[in-house]
Amino acid sequence: MNTVEVKIETELVAPFPVPPTRKSVADALSRKPPIVLTRRQALLRGLALMGAASVGPGLAESNSLDITRHRLPTPGLREPMRVVQITDLHRSWCVSEGFIARVVTETNRLQPDAVALTGDFVTQDSAYIASCAGQLAGLRATLGVYGVLGNHDYWCDHGRGGPAVAEALAQANVHLLINRNVRLDNGLRLVGVDDFQAGTPDPWAAFADVGVNEPMLAMTHNPFAFGALCRYPCVTLAGHTHGGQINIPFLTRSYLGGRTRYQKGWFQEPNHPGRMYVSCGLGVIGLPMRFRCYPELAVFDLVPA
């Protein structure tokens, strides 16, 4: 598998000036983005997809993989550790089990201390979770493999597939953190918040027993939860957007509209301490192709600060 590695050093996460309140978190979660395309956006989306389909071979399930490396100074951390984020695998007719096996192999090569799986393991049919989870069972991380569910995990099987996805992941030794946290053996608090769109996100419960001076890292699927999560002094890992998946200048941004706010990369809201990284993800949905947006494994090297 060809790889491209990009190194990025982030700024120190500042302590929050005022602890968040339950009401401020709930209010932030109540502001949901539009998810229905207008007629104009639907037309532009069709044009974008047709344009991508016409650019030639090499787009379907690319063998290339971007490995982005990020250095995170983390207050309170006792010793360095590595977290690898895997998101949006979307095992389906257009994302093969073999592709997921290669992702697992590459992840293990990176020697993570922990793996963060941020949702959308399947697309429409929970029947695919067996092969997906079977490969994920091969992940090797000294401090464990953890995950949250994404909107498609809840929506598969006409809205009834969530329990099947969760059960298969549990059998693969993936510890789901649905609105809860776990203290890893090295002292890091890993926090999981349920999906913003299809789940029942409750950051207040997820962070309930986390001390303000403890080292922490959060994960969720949909980056629009950051309106609430930015109030906590940690980095949040998210996915969902696929980085656009098919990025045609002007057209992609036109049909996505305000939903490009957290398309990919690093984000921080004014006057709030948290930061968020949105990965481009690995799988595809709709069409078996990516354009100007390679699949991504994000590597986070946490160091004491």
Side-chain angles (χ1 to χ4, degrees):
M1 179 181 287
N2 298 324
T3 63
V4 177
E5 299 200 10
V6 179
K7 293 185 179 181
I8 302 171
E9 181 162 351
T10 70
E11 298 175 359
L12 182 69
V13 177
F16 51 86
V18 178
T21 65
R22 182 190 294 269
K23 184 178 187 303
S24 68
V25 170
D27 288 347
L29 285 174
S30 68
R31 297 190 288 271
K32 295 200 172 187
I35 60 173
V36 179
L37 294 179
T38 66
R39 185 176 301 176
R40 172 176 173 273
Q41 289 171 332
L43 175 61
L44 289 170
R45 179 174 188 173
L47 291 172
L49 296 179
M50 287 188 292
S54 69
V55 299
L59 298 180
E61 198 171 283
S62 171
N63 284 325
S64 295
L65 178 68
D66 279 354
I67 297 178
T68 58
R69 294 182 180 268
H70 313 264
R71 184 175 181 273
L72 301 183
T74 305
L77 191 67
R78 296 196 300 262
E79 57 190 21
M81 68 172 294
R82 172 169 290 175
V83 177
V84 175
Q85 180 192 10
I86 295 175
T87 193
D88 294 273
L89 288 167
H90 281 285
R91 172 75 176 101
S92 64
W93 68 270
C94 59
V95 177
S96 70
E97 183 178 358
F99 176 74
I100 296 174
R102 295 199 299 273
V103 169
V104 170
T105 297
E106 189 66 23
T107 300
N108 289 341
R109 184 189 69 80
L110 293 166
Q111 298 182 310
D113 294 297
V115 175
L117 303 168
T118 50
D120 275 6
F121 299 91
V122 297
T123 299
Q124 291 182 318
D125 190 343
S126 70
Y128 285 104
I129 190 58
S131 57
C132 178
Q135 294 301 326
L136 294 176
L139 288 169
R140 298 293 177 259
T142 56
L143 297 175
V145 179
Y146 303 88
V148 293
L149 298 183
N151 56 301
H152 281 277
D153 302 318
Y154 285 110
W155 286 346
C156 68
D157 298 352
H158 304 287
R160 298 187 297 270
V165 173
E167 180 180 355
L169 292 171
Q171 292 177 355
N173 294 318
V174 176
H175 305 284
L176 287 180
L177 300 179
I178 306 299
N179 296 324
R180 65 186 186 93
N181 69 79
V182 63
R183 189 198 301 271
L184 304 187
D185 288 345
N186 67 349
L188 180 80
R189 289 277 195 168
L190 186 58
V191 181
V193 177
D194 203 7
D195 180 63
F196 179 70
Q197 191 171 358
T200 308
D202 189 348
W204 189 260
F207 284 90
D209 57 346
V210 181
V212 295
N213 295 318
E214 289 188 88
M216 62 186 89
L217 183 71
M219 58 181 180
T220 195
H221 178 66
N222 190 318
F224 271 92
F226 191 54
L229 297 179
C230 68
R231 290 162 165 75
Y232 296 90
C234 67
V235 166
T236 295
L237 307 182
H240 182 65
T241 66
H242 301 197
Q245 185 173 317
I246 296 174
N247 286 320
I248 297 177
F250 308 115
L251 282 178
T252 300
R253 183 165 292 274
S254 293
Y255 86 75
L256 284 176
R259 290 170 298 163
T260 60
R261 181 181 179 188
Y262 298 130
Q263 185 171 333
K264 61 180 178 179
W266 283 101
F267 298 91
Q268 186 167 18
E269 294 293 339
N271 304 316
H272 291 293
R275 302 191 72 206
M276 175 176 65
Y277 186 76
V278 181
S279 169
C280 291
L282 291 150
V284 293
I285 187 172
L287 290 176
M289 59 179 64
R290 283 177 175 259
F291 182 58
R292 300 177 73 242
C293 183
Y294 285 122
E296 177 186 5
L297 274 179
V299 181
F300 301 89
D301 287 314
L302 282 63
V303 297

